[in-house]
Amino acid sequence: MKYPTAISSTLAIGITAIDHGTATVEIAADALVHGNQQGTVHGGLICELADAAIGTAHSTLMKEGQSFTTIELKINFYRPVWKSRLRAIAHPLQSGKTITHYSCEVKNEEDKVVAMVTSTVMTLHEAKAAGR
């Protein structure tokens, strides 16, 4: 597992918990830095935080000669964020040899769900994993 990734370093996303197939990552989100046109934290930042948690969780399952790629990601936003430490908690819903489905909750400092993400990750084997 390569960590921090370039995007995690750029956005200051940090791992706060990691286990086999699960991960929690956090970011100090602030609309003054990560804002959109409406003055709230951009949904793309929230999506990236969830994707980082899912990718980190899946990286714990990789063996020699394997890599992975996201093939689908869906996000539902539940409440706006102006300034909060956001936490993304990812865990697998179903794990297979090639396809794994994840769920990830993004919560604010008040432990309220800001967004819910589901994602499908494909494990790449041998030649398909080379260079990735």
Side-chain angles (χ1 to χ4, degrees):
M1 177 174 69
K2 294 179 185 177
Y3 207 88
T5 61
I7 191 70
S8 292
S9 291
T10 299
L11 296 175
I13 295 172
I15 298 172
T16 58
I18 191 167
D19 202 349
H20 188 75
T22 65
T24 301
V25 299
E26 290 187 351
I27 189 171
D30 187 338
L32 294 176
V33 177
H34 309 110
N36 59 25
Q37 293 174 337
Q38 292 73 35
T40 59
V41 170
H42 196 286
L45 181 78
I46 296 168
C47 190
E48 171 55 35
L49 182 67
D51 191 49
I54 292 163
T56 302
H58 198 70
S59 70
T60 68
L61 305 176
M62 295 298 92
K63 297 175 183 154
E64 187 69 34
Q66 293 181 330
S67 187
F68 63 94
T69 188
T70 300
I71 58 174
E72 180 270 340
L73 188 140
K74 180 186 183 303
I75 188 165
N76 291 97
F77 298 101
Y78 297 124
R79 57 182 32 92
V81 176
W82 287 271
K83 186 174 184 176
S84 183
R85 177 156 286 283
L86 296 179
R87 183 175 75 255
I89 307 103
H91 67 276
L93 296 171
Q94 185 281 329
S95 291
K97 182 180 176 188
T98 303
I99 301 295
T100 302
H101 297 273
Y102 284 90
S103 175
C104 183
E105 284 185 321
V106 180
K107 294 184 174 186
N108 63 17
E109 291 172 335
E110 298 169 340
D111 208 37
K112 293 182 179 178
V113 178
V114 169
M116 186 66 166
V117 176
T118 56
S119 183
T120 306
V121 177
M122 177 187 290
T123 299
L124 304 169
H125 304 274
E126 306 299 325
K128 292 181 181 179
R132 297 184 85 141

